């Protein structure tokens, strides 16, 4: 069976690529999964320009989700979305966690109530789980459950799934109550042997000088407070720290990871857009539209496709599960499944 998917807060399509599969990363093949995205939406036109360059099989709408009537959204089996996370981020702990952006998860709930898909996938930053002693997280989970879904949540580290980045994100899976099915998060694939940054960055040296930080930027970094030096330079033999949408910056006094090319001469550089994309597990064939600044922002905001693939595959096993005569759950074998888009 091919499951229909609606993607909201789609961004440039990292999660969507992962859900569909059919790509290669770090010499690993991520098979095509039996999902068919029938509708995608985001408010960011530049991100959707990238989305349209890489997906051409479904309707893509650029609008504020609050303006989209549920009747405009096709019926579907799975709703997927990483609702905006600025209010929940640990990078901005002083921002109001109850502002309008924090309430956008309610738009997913509105669609769930109107369309009753079999399941949903939601994603957010690590801080979403702990801010205000977990009260925000508990409130959101309760509202998803009141919409008729049994929820499962987990803080997942991308590095545990073959991605060269220690990116931690909260994943919430919902299964419609009447289906009476249990979700199991995917097993870690590289928990004991993380993929190093060298997979994404082939050389510390860049042939293009525009990626190097100026001496003024380096001096500014030296004067920065210690709590603003979390990122700094990365070891190519270990996964990278979390990259963000600030990758295009020209200052060094931030929390974003950078590369130390020459210690003696204090020569630092930022990642190139393609290196950043690889850190997020995008295949090299994925094309980014707009300026480099646009690409950096889209990459930093994206869900790593490889992580999304593992989540989507584990959900597929649940959706395809059937009960045998003795009540045991049987999972269909999808290892060699091939099909054409509807």
């Amino acid at each position: 069976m091919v499951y229909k998917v609606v993607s909201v807060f789609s961004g440039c399509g990292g999660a969507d690529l992962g859900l569909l599969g059919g790509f290669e990363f770090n010499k690993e093949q991520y098979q095509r999964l039996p999902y068919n995205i029938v509708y995608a939406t985001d408010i960011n036109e530049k991100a959707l320009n990238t989305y349209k360059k890489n997906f051409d099989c479904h309707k893509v709408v650029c609008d504020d989700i609050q303006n989209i009537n549920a009747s405009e959204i096709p019926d579907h089996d799975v709703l997927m979305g990483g609702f905006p996370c600025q209010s929940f981020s640990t990078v901005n702990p002083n921002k109001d966690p109850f502002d309008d952006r924090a309430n956008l998860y309610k738009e997913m709930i509105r669609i769930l109530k109107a369309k009753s898909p079999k399941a949903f996938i939601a994603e957010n930053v690590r801080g979403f789980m702990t801010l205000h002693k977990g009260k925000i997280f508990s409130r959101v989970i309760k509202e998803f459950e009141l919409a008729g879904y049994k929820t499962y949540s987990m803080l997942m580290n991308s590095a545990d799934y073959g991605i060269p980045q220690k990116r931690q994100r909260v994943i919430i899976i919902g299964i419609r109550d009447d289906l009476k099915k249990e979700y199991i998060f995917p097993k870690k694939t590289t928990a004991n042997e993380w993929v190093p940054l060298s997979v994404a960055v082939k050389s510390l040296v860049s042939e293009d000088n525009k990626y190097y930080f100026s001496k003024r930027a380096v001096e500014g970094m030296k004067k920065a407070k210690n709590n603003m030096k979390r990122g700094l330079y990365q070891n190519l033999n270990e996964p990278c720290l979390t990259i963000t949408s600030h990758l295009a910056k020209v200052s060094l006094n931030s929390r974003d990871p950078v590369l130390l090319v020459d210690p003696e001469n204090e020569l630092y550089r930022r990642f190139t857009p393609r290196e950043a994309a690889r850190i997020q597990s995008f295949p090299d064939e994925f094309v980014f539209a707009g300026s480099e600044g646009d690409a950096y922002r889209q990459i930093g905001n994206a869900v790593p496709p490889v992580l999304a693939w593992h989540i989507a595959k584990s959900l597929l096993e649940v959706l395809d599960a059937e009960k045998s005569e003795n009540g045991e759950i049987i999972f269909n074998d999808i290892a060699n499944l091939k099909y054409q888009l509807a």
Side-chain angles (χ1 to χ4, degrees):
M1 179 176 178
V2 177
Y3 296 97
K4 296 180 179 179
V5 179
V6 163
S7 170
V8 295
F9 310 114
S10 307
C12 69
D16 299 55
L17 175 62
L19 179 133
L20 293 175
F23 63 93
E24 178 180 320
F25 175 73
N26 191 25
K27 300 180 181 179
E28 292 283 339
Q29 293 289 336
Y30 294 88
Q31 70 189 71
R32 184 68 166 84
L33 300 176
Y35 293 103
N36 184 13
I37 301 175
V38 295
Y39 184 94
T41 183
D42 196 282
I43 197 172
N44 189 318
E45 183 177 5
K46 291 182 178 179
L48 287 183
N49 287 338
T50 289
Y51 192 104
K52 292 174 184 176
K53 279 184 172 291
N54 295 280
F55 306 92
D56 59 1
C57 57
H58 53 274
K59 186 174 183 179
V60 180
V61 175
C62 183
D63 200 351
D64 184 333
I65 193 170
Q66 296 174 98
N67 297 332
I68 300 174
N69 193 294
S71 63
E72 302 173 35
I73 298 174
D75 291 338
H76 53 283
D77 301 298
V78 179
L79 177 66
M80 178 176 68
F83 49 92
C85 61
Q86 294 95 328
S87 298
F88 307 134
S89 175
T90 55
V91 176
N92 297 304
N94 296 321
K95 287 194 174 181
D96 177 13
F98 298 99
D99 67 11
D100 290 340
R101 291 169 300 179
N103 288 318
L104 286 175
Y105 72 90
K106 293 183 179 180
E107 298 304 313
M108 290 188 70
I109 291 173
R110 174 173 65 89
I111 297 170
L112 291 173
K113 289 180 177 178
K115 295 296 182 178
S116 297
K118 292 180 172 68
F120 72 83
I121 303 172
E123 178 264 357
N124 216 291
V125 294
R126 178 182 60 180
F128 171 51
M129 227 175 200
T130 57
L131 281 183
H132 286 253
K133 298 181 179 181
K135 291 180 180 179
I136 299 172
F137 180 72
S138 296
R139 182 181 72 180
V140 172
I141 291 297
K142 182 177 180 180
E143 292 193 42
F144 275 124
E145 291 179 343
L146 288 173
Y149 291 81
K150 185 173 182 179
T151 63
Y152 304 80
S153 57
M154 181 177 176
L155 182 63
M156 302 182 74
N157 188 338
S158 298
D160 290 333
Y161 297 90
I163 299 165
Q165 180 186 187
K166 300 174 186 176
R167 189 184 192 90
Q168 292 183 296
R169 288 296 184 268
V170 178
I171 304 298
I172 305 170
I173 304 295
I175 306 294
R176 205 174 65 208
D177 288 338
D178 64 292
L179 297 180
K180 300 186 182 306
K181 295 186 177 184
E182 300 291 328
Y183 177 76
I184 301 174
F185 278 94
K187 293 181 179 179
K188 298 175 182 179
T189 61
T190 54
N192 299 320
E193 190 175 350
W194 282 345
V195 173
L197 180 56
S198 57
V199 163
V201 179
K202 307 303 181 183
S203 172
L204 284 174
V205 178
S206 173
E207 296 180 358
D208 197 327
N209 291 332
K210 69 180 179 181
Y211 298 114
Y212 287 89
F213 292 102
S214 67
K215 290 188 178 298
R216 181 177 179 180
V218 174
E219 290 302 317
M221 179 268 291
K222 290 179 180 180
K223 298 175 183 178
K225 296 179 181 179
N226 286 333
N227 67 343
M228 296 301 290
K229 297 181 181 180
R230 180 183 67 87
L232 293 186
Y233 64 91
Q234 301 298 290
N235 186 337
L236 294 185
N237 297 318
E238 300 176 358
C240 186
L241 293 180
T242 301
I243 59 173
T244 72
S245 59
H246 309 127
L247 291 169
K249 64 179 176 22
V250 295
S251 65
L252 258 173
N253 59 344
S254 82
R255 296 158 61 93
D256 293 310
V258 296
L259 297 168
L260 176 57
V261 179
D262 185 345
E264 184 176 345
N265 294 306
E266 296 183 316
L267 189 59
Y268 294 83
R269 75 169 176 89
R270 65 182 185 268
F271 301 111
T272 68
R274 183 50 58 187
E275 289 169 341
R278 290 173 186 154
I279 292 170
Q280 282 278 57
S281 76
F282 281 96
D284 284 354
E285 293 75 22
F286 196 91
V287 180
F288 293 91
S291 67
E292 283 198 346
D294 295 333
Y296 280 126
R297 284 183 282 274
Q298 293 165 25
I299 293 166
N301 286 327
V303 176
V306 166
L307 180 63
W309 184 88
H310 283 287
I311 294 167
K313 185 173 183 292
S314 62
L315 178 60
L316 178 63
E317 292 169 349
V318 175
L319 295 176
D320 278 353
E322 297 178 355
K323 284 189 176 180
S324 66
E325 292 183 359
N326 63 7
E328 293 181 349
I329 299 295
I330 300 175
F331 294 99
N332 295 342
D333 180 10
I334 63 169
N336 298 307
L337 180 63
K338 294 181 180 179
Y339 75 99
Q340 298 295 321
L341 283 174

